[in-house]
Amino acid sequence: MRLLSALLAMAGLLIIATTATAEPLLFQPGENWCAAANSAEPGTTILLAPGQHDRCRLDTARGTADEPIVIASEDPSDRARIFSTATQNLINIEGDASHLVLRDLHFPPPGASSAVSTIKIFAGEDITIEGCLFEESTNVAIAANTGSSHTDGIVIRDNTFLDLQATAIYLGCVNGGCQSTNAVIENNFIDGVESSGIGYGIQIKVDSFAHIRNNSIFNTKGPGIMVYGAHVDHPPSIIDGNFVGRSRTSGNILVGGGPAVVVNNIVFDAETHGIHSYLHGEGGPKEGLFIAHNTILSSGGSNLFLRAWSDDENLASHNALFPTNGDLNAQGDGTIEHNIVCADWDECAHDPHSTPFSVAPLPEGPLHGLHLLANDHVARDFMGIGRADSETYAGALHFPFDDGTPWLEDGISRPEPVPFSGDEIDNDDDDGEHDDDGEHDDDGEHDDDGEHDVNGDHNDEHDRGDQDPPSDRTDGGCQCSTSRSDGSAALFLLLALAIAIRRSQPRQHRHRL
């Protein structure tokens, strides 16, 4: 029994050791956090103290889905700065790296003499970038657009991008040469994109797809958001609940091919068209297109331009159009109905002219009285409120003005939507056969934006110029690595001990008289 008791105590200690959370590893400026990240065990958290830290090539940092490796600022109110004067990307993610979280980091204006990307993802899955600040990036701020590599499950959320010199977010490659699938881009704030090329806010290339939701995007040179569809059997990209304004040379939201879903967006003051759907030269077919319940104000061209649609099942409906020039320009096949043009803005919305402004529909006004669309993508409105009545309103907002109506302002983040308590929208749509009809875009909105990586990959070849940082495959004497054993062995040991204890107990006998 003494032996069994000792074994039982040892098993308890083993379980405690295997379930305890490892202490975060704290690095001061100048210490080699990069080597520690590359040798870290799953579940490790690396904290960077306030101050300036060097660039990093993450190629063996590999967590798990349940235990990612987290690299974060020690103090989110005083973010660690990632900075380098080298003509190399500030963070490369490549090789075997996966299941990583980059959180609350600051990427200030780079010190290199030529353009460098801020974060470049060459390969990997389950990469999350959240709560970071990007300022004056000289090349693409977050890119996964290299060679023939494939990335999956990239999450980009709650980041701020200010005064960039190139596109903010660029996933996928020209002509589908690389693919980024199952991406989520949400709750980001982008204000100011200059570029020698196009200068997008968010760009999702052909054969890649993403859920782009609840972002606030202003003052981009090119489109605030552009997706290209797919020639392969992929779900649609979904553009939902974004607040996009003032593209200076293009439309606010561009759809260069299908499948794509564009719903619940509020867009304003585009130089050309508010929302523009057309067949780009590299884009997917003009099929599987669903554009509904958007509110579009004051475009230099048409509020809604549907160009040369070729599929009867395409749908554009329940959009609210507040024109200054053109309103709806629809060409080709598809169901295009119940789009309400508000020639007199004040007849449709509560206060669409002021700053801040409200596009909440007026009760019983022209936007009211439409039937509900039987599509899960519009089950909720711009604010996350369910469209549950028998009748609904055209546009992004379902309810008329009241004390809870969102006020919107140029350059200010959109209000947070109401949390949704149900299941997420299913992103598994099968839109049928593709129609590669060979039609090409001729409006000058080319996708080759000239935003090339300084190391020579031209956004679609391997980054040959990125040399490895000093070889630090060990922890450099800091003893940073922590291992986490599998607790299942301890559980089996306890089970075996319980059986042993049961068998070791003496049998009960009747006393003989």
Side-chain angles (χ1 to χ4, degrees):
M1 290 298 294
R2 290 180 178 177
L3 178 59
L4 288 173
S5 298
L7 290 173
L8 186 60
M10 292 174 62
L13 290 174
L14 179 58
I15 287 182
I16 293 173
T18 56
T19 57
T21 302
E23 288 295 322
L25 309 177
L26 178 61
F27 288 82
Q28 300 295 329
E31 294 181 342
N32 196 345
W33 69 272
C34 186
N38 277 312
S39 61
E41 294 291 333
T44 300
T45 295
I46 292 175
L47 296 180
L48 305 184
Q52 185 169 298
H53 297 260
D54 201 7
R55 66 178 297 277
C56 183
R57 176 175 179 254
L58 295 168
D59 59 350
T60 58
R62 187 174 182 86
T64 67
D66 294 329
E67 294 186 310
I69 294 171
V70 178
I71 301 165
S73 288
E74 178 192 19
D75 181 1
S77 66
D78 188 7
R79 293 182 176 98
R81 300 188 304 278
I82 309 299
F83 181 83
S84 176
T85 58
T87 54
Q88 294 176 320
N89 305 323
L90 292 183
I91 292 182
N92 278 351
I93 299 174
E94 55 186 290
D96 294 328
S98 66
H99 305 294
L100 303 176
V101 178
L102 304 180
R103 179 181 297 149
D104 296 328
L105 302 174
H106 180 194
F107 298 93
S113 58
S114 57
V116 294
S117 291
T118 305
I119 298 175
K120 188 133 189 174
I121 306 171
F122 292 85
E125 60 179 338
D126 190 19
I127 309 296
T128 297
I129 303 166
E130 61 185 12
C132 296
L133 171 61
F134 299 81
E135 291 185 290
E136 300 181 31
S137 302
T138 53
N139 204 336
V140 180
I142 300 176
N145 60 348
T146 298
S148 58
S149 63
H150 179 80
T151 58
D152 183 72
I154 292 175
V155 177
I156 303 171
R157 67 160 69 98
D158 298 323
N159 301 286
T160 299
F161 302 82
L162 300 177
D163 300 323
L164 307 182
Q165 303 303 306
T167 293
I169 299 170
Y170 186 151
L171 304 185
C173 286
V174 174
N175 297 321
C178 68
Q179 298 178 13
S180 187
T181 55
N182 293 301
V184 174
I185 304 172
E186 61 184 0
N187 304 327
N188 299 285
F189 179 85
I190 302 172
D191 191 358
V193 177
E194 288 288 349
S195 177
S196 59
I198 299 293
Y200 303 80
I202 298 170
Q203 179 179 202
I204 309 298
K205 284 295 192 181
V206 68
D207 295 341
S208 297
F209 61 93
H211 198 154
I212 305 168
R213 59 193 177 200
N214 302 335
N215 300 282
S216 302
I217 305 172
F218 311 104
N219 194 30
T220 55
K221 180 182 176 184
I225 300 172
M226 184 166 184
V227 300
Y228 291 77
H231 293 291
V232 296
D233 187 16
H234 277 337
S237 281
I238 301 172
I239 304 173
D240 182 3
N242 301 281
F243 182 37
V244 187
R246 288 193 295 113
S247 168
R248 300 194 307 279
T249 65
S250 183
N252 282 323
I253 296 177
L254 266 62
V255 179
V261 172
V262 184
V263 294
N264 295 324
N265 301 283
I266 297 177
V267 303
F268 66 97
D269 287 351
E271 176 65 22
T272 59
H273 312 297
I275 297 177
H276 184 188
S277 171
Y278 67 105
L279 182 63
H280 190 278
E282 83 170 70
K286 292 171 288 189
E287 298 177 353
L289 298 170
F290 182 80
I291 301 175
H293 277 295
N294 300 284
T295 296
I296 310 167
L297 302 94
S298 187
S299 303
S302 298
N303 283 150
L304 181 59
F305 188 12
L306 311 175
R307 185 170 164 195
W309 277 18
S310 61
D311 182 6
D312 290 340
E313 296 185 5
N314 289 341
L315 176 69
S317 186
H318 291 54
N319 297 288
L321 311 179
F322 293 74
T324 48
N325 291 310
D327 42 57
L328 173 63
N329 186 346
Q331 304 173 358
D333 299 325
T335 300
I336 302 167
E337 61 185 8
H338 306 305
N339 299 288
I340 306 302
V341 177
C342 298
D344 184 344
W345 291 19
D346 293 315
E347 289 184 356
C348 290
H350 174 72
D351 196 355
H353 296 288
S354 64
T355 301
F357 64 92
S358 169
V359 290
L362 294 177
E364 307 303 324
L367 300 180
H368 180 256
L370 299 181
H371 65 281
L372 286 173
L373 289 171
N375 189 292
D376 287 343
H377 294 297
V378 291
R380 306 187 307 279
D381 75 350
F382 177 83
M383 290 302 298
I385 298 172
R387 291 185 171 100
D389 298 336
S390 59
E391 292 185 336
T392 188
Y393 291 84
L397 293 170
H398 175 54
F399 288 102
F401 179 82
D402 59 24
D403 291 340
T405 294
W407 288 88
L408 303 167
E409 187 169 358
D410 184 2
I412 303 297
S413 291
R414 54 148 295 162
E416 291 187 8
V418 175
F420 181 56
S421 59
D423 294 331
E424 286 296 319
I425 291 174
D426 183 7
N427 192 21
D428 187 15
D429 290 355
D430 183 359
D431 294 293
E433 297 180 357
H434 292 161
D435 177 19
D436 187 1
D437 60 9
E439 293 181 30
H440 299 294
D441 170 51
D442 60 2
D443 64 357
E445 291 170 337
H446 305 298
D447 86 287
D448 184 4
D449 60 8
E451 291 161 353
H452 303 309
D453 187 272
V454 66
N455 302 304
D457 68 5
H458 296 279
N459 290 326
D460 62 357
E461 296 178 7
H462 186 69
D463 194 348
R464 300 180 183 89
D466 264 331
Q467 302 299 319
D468 294 353
S471 180
D472 293 315
R473 290 295 177 258
T474 66
D475 62 10
C478 71
Q479 297 180 348
C480 304
S481 299
T482 59
S483 62
R484 300 177 61 132
S485 304
D486 188 351
S488 60
L491 295 176
F492 280 116
L493 177 58
L494 276 183
L495 180 61
L497 285 170
I499 295 172
I501 291 171
R502 173 73 178 232
R503 290 179 176 175
S504 68
Q505 291 176 342
R507 295 181 180 179
Q508 300 297 317
H509 299 283
R510 290 178 179 159
H511 292 286
R512 292 182 181 178
L513 298 175

